[in-house]
Amino acid sequence: MSQTRKKNSSDGETKPRTSFVNKFLRGSKLMSSKAESRKESNDLATTDFQPSNDAQKTATLDTAQPLTSDEDWGSRMEKNEQFLQKLGSTAVDKCLDLNNCRLTAADVREVVALLPFLPDLEKLDISWNDSVGGNLHSVTQQMHLVSKLKILRLGSCRLTTDDVRALGEALKVVLELKELNLSWNSEVGGNLPHNLPHNGAFVGQLLPMMQNLEVLDLSINRNIGASLNSIAQGLKSTSNLKVLKLHSCGLSQESVRLLDAAFRSLCELKKLDLSCNRELGGGFEDSSAQLATLEHLEVLDIHQCSLTADDVMSLTQVIPLLSSLQELDLSANKKMGSSSENLLSRLRFLPALKSLLINSCALESETFTALAEASTYLPALEIFDLSWNKCVGGNLKLLLETLKFLASLRVLRLSSCGLVTEDVALLASVIHTGHLAKLRELHLSYNDSICDAGWAIFCQNVRFLTELTELDISLRPSTSRDCGQWFRHLLCAVAKLLEITEIGMKRWKLPTSQEEELEHFLQDHRRSIHFDLGEFQ
């Protein structure tokens, strides 16, 4: 879940820099080759826009000189394309995407100078640019020029208290906004304007201004939980909301009660992400009734929420009623292992389910049996993750009918399930009969109890997975083994698997003869296949 923050370039560069505005305007679809269009844009710049001194100088220098010929126009277009490729961004008249472009404070000022030329702008993404923090007010002051904006993404911008306050003022004129992303900003929900009675109340006050809001992402802001009361009240005014992401927001048991009260107003909600809120455990015991009213909900993510046995009991009454549900993530809730038999059994009432993630739940024999039986009623299932549930080992036969039945299965993850040779032989037989023909990813890593004979049977049959793109049979970090003769069978199979690009074999040691075999194989087939041998590469 974590993302790596890229270091921004210094604001104090001494090397002359070609104007960002100039380069953008050369490639923007908005700036057509017609002189009339250029004139309108220049008029707009002089009448409606009052930039800061530096930005005004830049805008004047870049737009004062008209293009005199088609040749001159073409030359500028070409230079702009080169610049955009270097910047790694996208620029068209309705979309300005500068996500993770290492913008400097000067660049932010130039973005401000662009806004008068983009009256039809619908998407502005300046996420993952640290220099936006502390400078957002310069952008929001011109937000009235892009009043058609529908998507605004400000994730990981180091937004400050003043930035959030300025954003609130700007949103009063952006009435068509449908998506607001403020994720990965640690100040949001925490150290907000001190004159408000509760931290984060300001965020709650923003929501009633956005009647058309469809996507709200406040993830990775761990102080949100402390101010959820105000936010939950604001959510009652966003009846068009379709996506609500509160991943890792420091939510508590009380948060569930507050959200439950808001759910009755969110009848259009399709995706709800409450994952990685470890203090949430116990909150669903008495506060999950309104969750059942979300009849359009397609995605429910409550992984790593420390669900208790009472939570599971309460959710057993709710989740099976979500008939539109397509993705369910219950993973990393270890207390589910002995208490989820009824819940898992009732998943059979979710025929639209496409993704079921239940890895790392410490399932026991009874709960796994209930899941195996229910899974035969899930014909649409495409992703099935049972990894890190040891009870699967020696019991894969319980999934035999499921594996035969799931014709649409694309991803099967059975990593660290304690699989034994009999399990992998059974899997090989299912593969041989063509029941998993659509499988694209198969993860069998960290199952060290499978002997060479088992791997040989598997590798002889894996060639029937004609759409497979990724296979992982890596060993645990604490172990290593020599590859047996099965490696030759694997190479023969891979030669027939035209879609495969990644094979995980970490900590499997190849003797010299097999290293040479692999080298010759890669030379002969000249395909982009990565054999990941880890430290033995």
Coordinates of all heavy atoms in Angstrom, one line a residue, residues 82-128:
Q82 N 8.4 17.3 -26.9 CA 9.7 16.8 -26.3 C 9.7 17.2 -24.8 O 10.1 16.4 -24.0 CB 10.8 17.5 -27.0 CG 11.0 17.1 -28.4 CD 12.1 17.9 -29.2 OE1 12.6 18.8 -28.6 NE2 12.4 17.4 -30.4
F83 N 9.2 18.4 -24.5 CA 9.1 18.8 -23.1 C 8.2 17.9 -22.2 O 8.5 17.5 -21.2 CB 8.7 20.2 -23.0 CG 8.4 20.7 -21.6 CD1 9.4 21.0 -20.7 CD2 7.1 20.8 -21.1 CE1 9.2 21.4 -19.4 CE2 6.8 21.2 -19.8 CZ 7.9 21.5 -19.0
L84 N 7.0 17.6 -22.8 CA 6.1 16.8 -22.1 C 6.6 15.4 -21.9 O 6.3 14.8 -20.8 CB 4.7 16.7 -22.8 CG 3.9 18.0 -22.9 CD1 2.7 17.9 -23.7 CD2 3.6 18.4 -21.4
Q85 N 7.3 14.9 -22.8 CA 7.9 13.5 -22.7 C 8.9 13.6 -21.5 O 9.0 12.6 -20.7 CB 8.6 13.1 -24.0 CG 7.6 12.7 -25.1 CD 8.3 12.3 -26.4 OE1 9.5 12.4 -26.5 NE2 7.6 11.8 -27.3
K86 N 9.7 14.6 -21.5 CA 10.7 14.7 -20.4 C 10.0 14.9 -19.1 O 10.5 14.3 -18.1 CB 11.6 16.0 -20.7 CG 12.7 16.2 -19.6 CD 13.5 17.4 -19.9 CE 14.5 17.7 -18.8 NZ 15.3 18.9 -19.1
L87 N 8.9 15.7 -19.0 CA 8.2 15.9 -17.8 C 7.4 14.7 -17.4 O 7.1 14.5 -16.2 CB 7.3 17.1 -18.0 CG 6.7 17.7 -16.7 CD1 7.8 18.2 -15.8 CD2 5.7 18.8 -17.1
G88 N 7.1 13.8 -18.4 CA 6.2 12.7 -18.1 C 4.8 13.0 -17.8 O 4.1 12.4 -17.0
S89 N 4.3 14.1 -18.4 CA 3.0 14.6 -18.1 C 2.1 14.5 -19.3 O 2.5 14.2 -20.4 CB 3.0 16.0 -17.6 OG 3.4 16.9 -18.6
T90 N 0.8 14.8 -19.1 CA -0.2 14.9 -20.2 C -0.9 16.2 -20.2 O -1.3 16.7 -19.1 CB -1.2 13.8 -20.0 OG1 -0.6 12.5 -19.9 CG2 -2.2 13.7 -21.2
A91 N -1.0 16.8 -21.3 CA -1.7 18.1 -21.4 C -2.6 18.2 -22.5 O -2.2 18.1 -23.7 CB -0.6 19.2 -21.4
V92 N -3.9 18.4 -22.3 CA -4.9 18.6 -23.3 C -5.8 19.7 -22.8 O -5.7 20.1 -21.6 CB -5.7 17.4 -23.7 CG1 -4.8 16.4 -24.4 CG2 -6.3 16.7 -22.5
D93 N -6.8 20.1 -23.6 CA -7.6 21.2 -23.2 C -8.5 20.9 -22.0 O -8.9 21.8 -21.2 CB -8.5 21.8 -24.3 CG -9.3 20.7 -25.0 OD1 -9.0 19.5 -24.7 OD2 -10.2 21.0 -25.8
K94 N -8.9 19.6 -21.8 CA -9.8 19.3 -20.7 C -9.1 18.6 -19.6 O -9.7 18.2 -18.6 CB -10.9 18.4 -21.2 CG -11.9 19.1 -22.1 CD -13.1 18.3 -22.4 CE -14.1 19.0 -23.3 NZ -15.3 18.3 -23.6
C95 N -7.8 18.3 -19.7 CA -7.0 17.5 -18.7 C -5.6 18.1 -18.5 O -4.9 18.2 -19.5 CB -7.0 16.1 -19.1 SG -5.9 15.1 -18.1
L96 N -5.3 18.4 -17.3 CA -3.9 18.8 -17.0 C -3.4 17.9 -16.0 O -3.8 17.9 -14.8 CB -3.9 20.3 -16.5 CG -2.5 20.8 -16.1 CD1 -1.5 20.7 -17.3 CD2 -2.6 22.3 -15.7
D97 N -2.5 16.9 -16.4 CA -2.0 15.9 -15.5 C -0.5 16.1 -15.2 O 0.3 15.9 -16.1 CB -2.2 14.5 -16.2 CG -1.9 13.4 -15.2 OD1 -1.3 13.6 -14.2 OD2 -2.2 12.2 -15.5
L98 N -0.2 16.6 -14.0 CA 1.1 16.9 -13.6 C 1.5 16.0 -12.4 O 2.3 16.4 -11.6 CB 1.3 18.4 -13.3 CG 1.0 19.3 -14.5 CD1 1.1 20.7 -14.1 CD2 2.1 19.0 -15.6
N99 N 0.9 14.9 -12.3 CA 1.1 14.0 -11.2 C 2.6 13.6 -11.1 O 3.1 13.1 -12.1 CB 0.2 12.7 -11.3 CG 0.3 11.8 -10.2 OD1 1.4 11.4 -9.7 ND2 -0.8 11.3 -9.7
N100 N 3.2 13.8 -9.9 CA 4.6 13.3 -9.7 C 5.5 13.9 -10.8 O 6.4 13.2 -11.3 CB 4.6 11.8 -9.7 CG 5.9 11.3 -9.0 OD1 6.6 12.1 -8.4 ND2 6.1 10.0 -9.1
C101 N 5.4 15.2 -11.0 CA 6.3 15.8 -12.0 C 7.4 16.6 -11.4 O 8.1 17.4 -12.0 CB 5.5 16.7 -12.9 SG 4.6 15.8 -14.2
R102 N 7.6 16.5 -10.1 CA 8.6 17.2 -9.3 C 8.6 18.7 -9.6 O 9.6 19.3 -9.8 CB 10.0 16.6 -9.7 CG 10.1 15.1 -9.6 CD 11.4 14.5 -10.1 NE 12.4 14.6 -9.1 CZ 13.6 14.1 -9.2 NH1 14.0 13.5 -10.3 NH2 14.5 14.3 -8.2
L103 N 7.4 19.2 -9.5 CA 7.2 20.6 -9.7 C 7.9 21.4 -8.6 O 7.9 21.0 -7.5 CB 5.7 21.0 -9.7 CG 4.8 20.3 -10.8 CD1 3.4 20.8 -10.6 CD2 5.3 20.6 -12.2
T104 N 8.5 22.5 -9.0 CA 9.1 23.5 -8.1 C 8.0 24.5 -7.8 O 7.0 24.6 -8.4 CB 10.3 24.1 -8.6 OG1 9.9 24.9 -9.8 CG2 11.3 23.1 -9.1
A105 N 8.4 25.4 -6.8 CA 7.4 26.5 -6.5 C 7.2 27.4 -7.8 O 6.1 27.9 -8.0 CB 8.0 27.3 -5.4
A106 N 8.3 27.6 -8.6 CA 8.2 28.4 -9.8 C 7.2 27.7 -10.8 O 6.4 28.3 -11.5 CB 9.6 28.6 -10.4
D107 N 7.3 26.4 -10.8 CA 6.4 25.6 -11.7 C 5.0 25.8 -11.3 O 4.0 25.9 -12.1 CB 6.7 24.1 -11.7 CG 8.1 23.8 -12.4 OD1 8.5 24.6 -13.3 OD2 8.7 22.8 -12.0
V108 N 4.7 25.8 -10.0 CA 3.3 26.0 -9.5 C 2.8 27.4 -10.0 O 1.7 27.5 -10.4 CB 3.3 25.9 -8.0 CG1 1.9 26.2 -7.4 CG2 3.7 24.5 -7.5
R109 N 3.7 28.4 -9.9 CA 3.2 29.7 -10.4 C 2.9 29.7 -11.9 O 2.0 30.3 -12.4 CB 4.3 30.7 -10.1 CG 4.5 31.0 -8.6 CD 5.4 32.3 -8.4 NE 6.7 32.1 -8.9 CZ 7.7 31.7 -8.1 NH1 7.5 31.3 -6.9 NH2 8.9 31.5 -8.6
E110 N 3.6 28.9 -12.6 CA 3.4 28.8 -14.1 C 2.1 28.0 -14.3 O 1.4 28.2 -15.3 CB 4.6 28.1 -14.8 CG 5.8 29.0 -14.7 CD 7.0 28.5 -15.5 OE1 6.8 27.6 -16.3 OE2 8.1 29.0 -15.3
V111 N 1.8 27.0 -13.5 CA 0.5 26.3 -13.6 C -0.6 27.4 -13.4 O -1.6 27.3 -14.2 CB 0.4 25.2 -12.5 CG1 -1.0 24.7 -12.5 CG2 1.4 24.1 -12.8
V112 N -0.5 28.3 -12.5 CA -1.4 29.3 -12.3 C -1.6 30.1 -13.6 O -2.7 30.5 -14.0 CB -1.0 30.2 -11.1 CG1 -1.9 31.4 -11.0 CG2 -1.0 29.5 -9.8
A113 N -0.5 30.4 -14.3 CA -0.6 31.2 -15.5 C -1.3 30.5 -16.6 O -1.7 31.1 -17.6 CB 0.8 31.6 -15.9
L114 N -1.4 29.2 -16.5 CA -2.1 28.4 -17.5 C -3.6 28.4 -17.4 O -4.3 28.3 -18.4 CB -1.6 26.9 -17.4 CG -0.3 26.5 -18.0 CD1 0.0 25.1 -17.7 CD2 -0.2 26.8 -19.5
L115 N -4.1 28.6 -16.2 CA -5.5 28.4 -16.0 C -6.4 29.3 -16.9 O -7.5 28.9 -17.3 CB -5.8 28.6 -14.5 CG -5.2 27.6 -13.6 CD1 -5.6 27.8 -12.2 CD2 -5.5 26.2 -14.0
P116 N -6.0 30.6 -17.2 CA -6.9 31.4 -18.0 C -7.0 30.8 -19.4 O -8.0 31.2 -20.1 CB -6.1 32.7 -18.1 CG -5.3 32.8 -16.9 CD -4.9 31.4 -16.6
F117 N -6.1 30.0 -19.9 CA -6.2 29.4 -21.2 C -6.9 28.1 -21.2 O -7.0 27.4 -22.3 CB -4.8 29.2 -21.8 CG -4.0 30.5 -21.8 CD1 -3.1 30.8 -20.8 CD2 -4.1 31.3 -22.9 CE1 -2.4 32.0 -20.9 CE2 -3.4 32.5 -23.0 CZ -2.5 32.8 -22.0
L118 N -7.5 27.6 -20.1 CA -8.1 26.3 -20.0 C -9.5 26.5 -19.4 O -9.8 25.8 -18.4 CB -7.3 25.4 -19.1 CG -5.8 25.1 -19.6 CD1 -5.1 24.4 -18.6 CD2 -5.9 24.3 -20.9
P119 N -10.4 27.2 -20.0 CA -11.7 27.4 -19.5 C -12.6 26.1 -19.5 O -13.6 26.0 -18.8 CB -12.3 28.5 -20.4 CG -11.6 28.3 -21.7 CD -10.2 27.9 -21.3
D120 N -12.2 25.1 -20.3 CA -12.9 23.9 -20.4 C -12.3 22.8 -19.5 O -12.7 21.6 -19.7 CB -13.1 23.4 -21.8 CG -13.9 24.4 -22.7 OD1 -14.9 24.9 -22.1 OD2 -13.5 24.6 -23.8
L121 N -11.3 23.1 -18.7 CA -10.6 22.1 -17.9 C -11.5 21.3 -17.0 O -12.3 21.9 -16.3 CB -9.5 22.8 -17.1 CG -8.5 21.8 -16.4 CD1 -7.6 21.2 -17.5 CD2 -7.6 22.6 -15.4
E122 N -11.5 20.0 -17.1 CA -12.3 19.2 -16.3 C -11.5 18.3 -15.3 O -12.1 17.9 -14.3 CB -13.1 18.2 -17.2 CG -14.1 18.9 -18.1 CD -15.0 18.0 -18.9 OE1 -14.7 16.8 -18.8 OE2 -15.9 18.5 -19.6
K123 N -10.2 18.2 -15.5 CA -9.4 17.4 -14.6 C -8.1 18.1 -14.4 O -7.3 18.4 -15.3 CB -9.1 16.0 -15.2 CG -8.2 15.1 -14.4 CD -7.9 13.8 -15.1 CE -6.8 13.0 -14.3 NZ -6.5 11.7 -15.0
L124 N -7.8 18.3 -13.1 CA -6.5 18.8 -12.7 C -5.9 17.9 -11.6 O -6.4 17.7 -10.6 CB -6.7 20.2 -12.1 CG -5.5 20.9 -11.5 CD1 -4.4 21.1 -12.6 CD2 -5.8 22.3 -10.9
D125 N -4.7 17.3 -12.0 CA -4.0 16.4 -11.1 C -2.6 16.9 -10.9 O -1.8 16.9 -11.8 CB -4.0 15.0 -11.7 CG -3.4 14.0 -10.8 OD1 -2.9 14.3 -9.7 OD2 -3.6 12.8 -11.1
I126 N -2.4 17.4 -9.7 CA -1.0 17.9 -9.3 C -0.5 17.1 -8.1 O 0.3 17.6 -7.3 CB -1.0 19.4 -9.1 CG1 -2.1 19.9 -8.1 CG2 -1.1 20.1 -10.4 CD1 -2.0 21.3 -7.9
S127 N -1.0 15.9 -8.0 CA -0.6 15.0 -6.8 C 0.9 14.7 -6.8 O 1.6 14.8 -7.8 CB -1.4 13.7 -6.9 OG -2.8 13.9 -6.8
W128 N 1.4 14.4 -5.6 CA 2.8 13.9 -5.4 C 3.8 15.0 -5.9 O 4.8 14.7 -6.6 CB 3.0 12.6 -6.1 CG 2.3 11.5 -5.5 CD1 1.0 11.1 -5.8 CD2 2.7 10.7 -4.3 NE1 0.6 10.1 -4.9 CE2 1.6 9.9 -4.0 CE3 3.8 10.7 -3.5 CZ2 1.6 9.0 -2.9 CZ3 3.9 9.8 -2.5 CH2 2.8 9.0 -2.2

